[in-house]
Amino acid sequence: MRTKIHYNIFVLSLALISCNTNRQNKPASLFWYQKQLRILQTVLREPDAIGYDARSVVRYMQASEYNTLVVNAGGIIDFYPDSMEMSRANRFLAGRDLLEEITAACKKENIRVIARIDFRGVEEERYKKHPHWFAINSDGSPKIYTYTTPVFYAPCYHGYYRNEYAINIIKKILTRYPVDGIWYNSVHCHDNCWCPACKKAFREWSGFEMPQSKNTDNRMLFEDFRKYSAEHYLQTIYKTVKEFGPEKAFVAEIFGMYKSEMMKRTGMGITMASKYMDFLPNVCFITHSHQSIEYNNANYSASIIRYLRSVNPFKQPVILFGSNQSTHRYVAEESQYLRAWVFESIASGGSVWNCLFNGAHPGLMHDRRNACLLKDIIRFMKKNANCFENALPVFNTAIYFSENSSNICGDDKPETDYYFTEVQGWENVLNASHIFYGFINAKGINTETLKSIHTLILPNTVYLSEKEILLITEFVQQGGTLIASGATSLYNNLGQKLDNFALSGLLGVRFNKKVHYGASNFYQKIRIKNNLIENIKDTELLFNLDSVYECKPDAGTIVITTMVPQFNSQPPELAWIEDMETDIPVMSIHKAGKGQVIYFSNLPGRIFYFTQNSDIRCLMVNSVNNKYSGVQITHSNIPATVHTHLIYDSLQKKYILSLVNNTGIAQSSSDKAISINDIQFTLQLPEGIKYHNNLFGDAEVRCMIKHVKLKIRRIDEFYSVALHN
Ligand SMILES: [Zn+2]
């Protein structure tokens, strides 16, 4: 099987369920939210009601080619008149109904409208009317959010405010207005609640009374209850929306794949939430952190799309982006970075949700610099929707993504995180080396999914269940390449360290129950010269950093590099050790069945994430390329800062190859990307290609048997080509 080149299995599955259909003959049952989404959200503040002109919003939407508007409906502030005791109508409505006006104006022009609701909390005045509708701390005090002004009294997943009350509002909106769906902003509740409704739910769920407080012994119990409560809540709201018809969409605010703290505190993860959403928007801002603005990786938006496709390939993946992490909504986002950010997402087959703007529409903002920034890109999306909307990432190399492992060793701060930095480091290397990759989601792993790939990377995947271990072992036995790092399979599901790797036999090493750390003069010594050391010359030592899990190789395991014990750097006269030799493997290779396993006892991804070290990159790339023969780019002079994407539409049998130029813009405030001239490369595909069609930019494309040769004279921001027969 593995000698034949496979696409992502999801491509095949899509083909199976949609057999005998093509673009001209789309199944009539396809709902609007299953097609390309070009969404604009206007974040309305209360005074935006003054002089609100729905027609000018529609004109902006039309000029910018968006097809869906997300607009404030109700919850914190209602943008329609209402006489209910707990509602708080916008003070500036002056008898108008803005939701009715904007919905009517959009409907007339065939623009979809999603109503935004938000029930994260209420100010003191409303709280005092029905305090028992809201969340209670273990000491009986009300749960208060201090990050809002005024402070908000928070509700909980089981209480009256988020349930009976909110459901009543949702039904009212869907009954009164012809909206196409509901966007539940701030759907999550933080931590636990001791209100009577939550206690009752806990009793029904567990069979015993809720403990009076949280401590280390029952931490997991509360965490599991949060997950249950979050899922129960999403399911309830989803069902409420669906009472109004399958064409009404439900989506909720779910944070990115790299946000483990949010997942732990609220019980809401992407995999679970995706079951109850009609398409998959994911918060995806260029910057992160509330304390200081930090830039995410240039490939972050594409990662989100790849990941969402692994969670559910049949739901539209969408990046939701706004200005400056919402801490500085009033000024424009870095324009060139934002354009590349959106190109990355489109190139990997994603839709967009533009939430950059405060106010009625972008032309009315204090800062209008972003108002027309994406116009040409959104137009390009619309024009080529049929190429992109159902195309899925093509890859033979997959990163295994495990929410369980991220729960154990993931952290939102990179310095103390030992999961996401390892994952993102691998991604950075694959992107810089133009290796097509995707994700396999641990919750969706099965034999079929694994059959579609050649190489599986387990980045510090500390917990693996028995089922996962069986499937991964079978994958290697059948001829797959496994790459694992650090403490992979060294923990149980409670986050406790085991005596040995559960995958020990497959990895070809046994854990020696010792971890070494090194920050300076920490090296690997090359033990053997083979293709895993390719492109490394004139050195016996290689870079190393951070942790090494000391282990003993099994007979038959070939040790490629060994750890050199760490020593101090100062004073330089004394910075040496007598003996650099140890028998502690850092990189090793082991044959198992028809396959091979490459194990790194350090965390190469994490090292690369922080240092971009070329020794580490070389070892990682060599491990992926070892015996690899799938779809790939060869004979290439593409710089590392230009990212390549390949997606495939199985109905039209069409590949879309795209390049995004990030040169000079990543992590700097440069106004423009630096253009790259004379790019040349070969794309190896599993089948012959006869025709090409340049979609964006120009290139000389020569279609040969089983490969395509491309010469791009100049790339400024983006290049894209469709390849088909
Ligand atoms: Zn409660």
Side-chain angles (χ1 to χ4, degrees):
M1 282 298 277
R2 234 158 276 290
T3 51
K4 198 177 162 199
I5 299 154
H6 295 273
Y7 319 122
N8 171 2
I9 188 69
F10 300 135
V11 173
L12 300 173
S13 324
L14 189 66
L16 286 174
I17 66 152
S18 316
C19 55
N20 301 322
T21 57
N22 57 39
R23 201 60 40 192
Q24 287 75 43
N25 187 19
K26 251 182 202 169
S29 60
L30 215 58
F31 293 114
W32 66 274
Y33 49 74
Q34 292 170 301
K35 300 173 196 170
Q36 184 187 71
L37 295 161
R38 303 183 305 279
I39 302 172
L40 178 80
Q41 178 176 353
T42 53
V43 182
L44 294 180
R45 301 149 305 173
E46 227 180 341
D48 289 323
I50 303 166
Y52 186 81
D53 179 0
R55 283 166 307 172
S56 75
V57 179
V58 169
R59 277 199 298 275
Y60 177 83
M61 299 271 302
Q62 286 174 320
S64 313
E65 312 275 11
Y66 291 98
N67 61 7
T68 306
L69 176 73
V70 177
V71 68
N72 299 56
I76 294 174
I77 297 290
D78 302 331
F79 286 75
Y80 51 82
D82 204 326
S83 54
M84 274 174 71
E85 181 205 11
M86 281 290 273
S87 63
R88 196 185 141 182
N90 186 321
R91 285 169 285 179
F92 304 100
L93 280 184
R96 293 169 64 191
D97 185 333
L98 295 197
L99 191 56
E100 184 181 38
E101 289 176 26
I102 188 65
T103 311
C106 285
K107 290 280 109 179
K108 217 166 138 190
E109 301 301 332
N110 212 17
I111 293 170
R112 301 281 174 179
V113 180
I114 297 179
R116 175 192 182 275
I117 54 168
D118 191 327
F119 296 98
R120 82 181 78 173
V122 295
E123 61 294 312
E124 190 175 16
E125 188 193 335
R126 275 194 282 180
Y127 166 76
K128 279 185 169 167
K129 290 180 185 171
H130 293 287
H132 56 287
W133 288 7
F134 294 88
I136 295 174
N137 292 315
S138 59
D139 63 2
S141 63
K143 194 180 283 287
I144 296 175
Y145 290 151
T146 53
Y147 75 94
T148 57
T149 307
V151 295
F152 268 0
Y153 288 76
C156 60
Y157 288 132
H158 298 285
Y160 192 91
Y161 184 72
R162 270 207 197 256
N163 286 278
E164 288 85 343
Y165 179 76
I167 287 169
N168 186 16
I169 302 280
I170 292 167
K171 286 183 174 176
K172 190 178 286 186
I173 291 168
L174 287 164
T175 307
R176 270 197 206 163
Y177 307 98
V179 296
D180 300 285
I182 295 288
W183 160 245
Y184 199 144
N185 199 67
S186 217
V187 71
H188 43 266
C189 299
H190 293 255
D191 300 318
N192 285 91
C193 165
W194 278 263
C195 82
C198 285
K199 283 183 177 171
K200 181 170 175 274
F202 186 93
R203 203 182 306 122
E204 285 165 7
W205 171 72
S206 68
F208 54 89
E209 293 299 320
M210 182 187 277
Q212 198 44 50
S213 64
K214 241 186 326 183
N215 56 41
T216 43
D217 291 339
N218 59 32
R219 188 180 56 85
M220 288 300 287
L221 181 71
F222 275 101
E223 219 171 285
D224 285 346
F225 180 59
R226 269 203 294 282
K227 280 186 201 161
Y228 158 76
S229 304
E231 178 156 8
H232 182 266
Y233 186 65
L234 276 185
Q235 195 176 31
T236 305
I237 303 299
Y238 175 78
K239 278 185 187 163
T240 303
V241 174
K242 290 298 168 185
E243 282 174 26
F244 293 80
E247 74 284 4
K248 302 289 181 189
F250 174 64
V251 277
E253 185 181 24
I254 305 296
F255 286 83
M257 60 196 277
Y258 304 117
K259 298 278 176 198
S260 70
E261 286 308 307
M262 198 66 170
M263 200 156 71
K264 281 182 219 169
R265 278 164 50 206
T266 68
M268 262 182 205
I270 298 176
T271 314
M272 179 280 281
S274 69
K275 290 193 267 178
Y276 308 104
M277 299 205 287
D278 291 302
F279 60 94
L280 305 178
N282 211 186
V283 177
C284 181
F285 285 27
I286 289 177
T287 46
H288 66 94
S289 166
H290 289 291
Q291 283 77 38
S292 61
I293 302 278
E294 285 174 43
Y295 282 86
N296 281 313
N297 290 337
N299 50 273
Y300 188 94
S301 60
S303 297
I304 295 288
I305 299 301
R306 288 186 181 107
Y307 181 62
L308 292 174
R309 284 298 197 193
S310 81
V311 170
N312 189 327
F314 306 115
K315 293 185 178 181
Q316 281 291 319
V318 183
I319 57 159
L320 191 171
F321 53 92
S323 287
N324 307 307
Q325 188 60 35
S326 295
T327 58
H328 295 72
R329 283 187 214 266
Y330 278 61
V331 290
E333 185 58 275
E334 295 295 340
S335 57
Q336 191 58 51
Y337 206 160
L338 182 61
R339 284 177 65 83
W341 192 256
V342 174
F343 275 130
E344 291 268 353
S345 161
I346 297 169
S348 41
S351 283
V352 297
W353 180 318
N354 177 344
C355 187
L356 287 168
F357 308 105
N358 278 307
H361 75 77
L364 297 176
M365 287 186 46
H366 297 286
D367 182 342
R368 295 168 295 283
R369 287 173 291 180
N370 280 165
C372 297
L373 182 71
L374 304 175
K375 205 168 173 173
D376 58 323
I377 306 181
I378 304 297
R379 186 165 295 151
F380 167 77
M381 277 182 80
K382 183 186 176 188
K383 189 178 162 204
N384 297 290
N386 74 326
C387 291
F388 287 90
E389 67 186 359
N390 289 321
L392 302 179
V394 179
F395 56 89
N396 296 129
T397 298
I399 295 177
Y400 195 65
F401 196 91
S402 153
E403 280 182 16
N404 286 325
S405 295
S406 82
N407 261 335
I408 294 168
C409 61
D411 193 294
D412 287 359
K413 292 190 200 87
E415 299 75 24
T416 41
D417 163 79
Y418 281 83
Y419 187 69
F420 305 116
T421 47
E422 181 67 11
V423 171
Q424 288 185 285
W426 275 99
E427 285 193 76
N428 293 350
V429 164
L430 298 176
N431 271 303
S433 312
H434 315 295
I435 294 169
F436 301 121
Y437 74 95
F439 290 101
I440 286 182
N441 186 352
K443 293 198 174 152
I445 185 178
N446 58 46
T447 310
E448 285 308 303
T449 316
L450 289 171
K451 265 186 192 164
S452 70
I453 58 155
H454 183 284
T455 304
L456 181 66
I457 301 169
L458 301 182
N460 202 32
T461 310
V462 295
Y463 169 69
L464 290 170
S465 67
E466 278 178 27
K467 180 191 161 198
E468 289 171 279
I469 287 170
L470 270 174
L471 288 167
I472 290 167
T473 305
E474 188 190 305
F475 162 76
V476 178
Q477 296 290 345
Q478 294 301 316
T481 293
L482 182 72
I483 300 171
S485 65
T488 290
S489 77
L490 195 56
Y491 285 76
N492 66 16
N493 60 342
L494 299 173
Q496 294 154 338
K497 201 187 268 183
L498 306 170
D499 286 344
N500 191 12
F501 307 104
L503 272 184
S504 178
L506 202 62
L507 300 180
V509 293
R510 270 167 295 136
F511 183 50
N512 261 355
K513 298 178 197 169
K514 198 171 170 189
V515 186
H516 299 264
Y517 298 94
S520 66
N521 283 322
F522 200 26
Y523 306 107
Q524 311 177 48
K525 194 161 194 303
I526 298 173
R527 311 305 305 206
I528 192 168
K529 293 266 183 186
N530 63 10
N531 47 354
L532 291 170
I533 300 294
E534 206 172 289
N535 297 324
I536 297 174
K537 286 184 187 128
D538 302 325
T539 180
E540 292 136 40
L541 291 187
L542 299 173
F543 191 80
N544 196 13
L545 201 68
D546 211 293
S547 328
V548 166
Y549 288 80
E550 184 180 318
C551 50
K552 198 170 167 13
D554 293 344
T557 296
I558 301 168
V559 176
I560 311 295
T561 65
T562 49
M563 188 191 85
V564 175
Q566 192 242 8
F567 51 96
N568 280 341
S569 281
Q570 300 296 345
E573 294 86 339
L574 299 175
W576 61 282
I577 48 169
E578 216 163 289
D579 191 3
M580 289 188 168
E581 301 290 322
T582 68
D583 55 6
I584 303 167
V586 177
M587 187 189 196
S588 59
I589 183 165
H590 172 72
K591 280 201 173 69
K594 295 179 194 160
Q596 55 173 353
V597 182
I598 297 162
Y599 172 65
F600 291 91
S601 67
N602 59 356
L603 298 166
R606 185 173 153 81
I607 300 173
F608 190 78
Y609 178 91
F610 285 109
T611 65
Q612 286 86 48
N613 181 273
S614 57
D615 287 350
I616 297 297
R617 189 191 66 222
C618 226
L619 296 178
M620 292 164 82
V621 170
N622 289 347
S623 71
V624 175
N625 284 341
N626 196 39
K627 295 188 182 170
Y628 179 81
S629 61
V631 57
Q632 60 186 314
I633 283 176
T634 58
H635 306 90
S636 148
N637 66 354
I638 312 172
T641 48
V642 175
H643 295 159
T644 49
H645 302 263
L646 185 66
I647 54 178
Y648 180 71
D649 183 321
S650 61
L651 304 184
Q652 303 181 93
K653 300 195 174 2
K654 192 185 269 186
Y655 292 90
I656 312 292
L657 173 78
S658 305
L659 279 72
V660 183
N661 182 16
N662 286 280
T663 313
I665 55 170
Q667 320 242 343
S668 78
S669 298
S670 170
D671 289 341
K672 247 182 163 3
I674 298 165
S675 299
I676 305 289
N677 295 322
D678 300 319
I679 287 180
Q680 297 189 28
F681 59 98
T682 300
L683 174 66
Q684 309 281 350
L685 288 171
E687 59 188 315
I689 291 292
K690 284 185 190 152
Y691 306 106
H692 78 277
N693 176 20
N694 282 320
L695 303 174
F696 197 109
D698 199 27
E700 187 188 307
V701 183
R702 285 168 60 207
C703 298
M704 327 282 277
I705 301 166
K706 292 217 172 182
H707 69 263
V708 182
K709 284 191 168 184
L710 290 100
K711 272 187 195 174
I712 305 172
R713 206 170 59 77
R714 176 188 160 115
I715 178 168
D716 295 322
E717 293 182 290
F718 185 58
Y719 168 74
S720 190
V721 62
L723 303 164
H724 54 98
N725 282 312

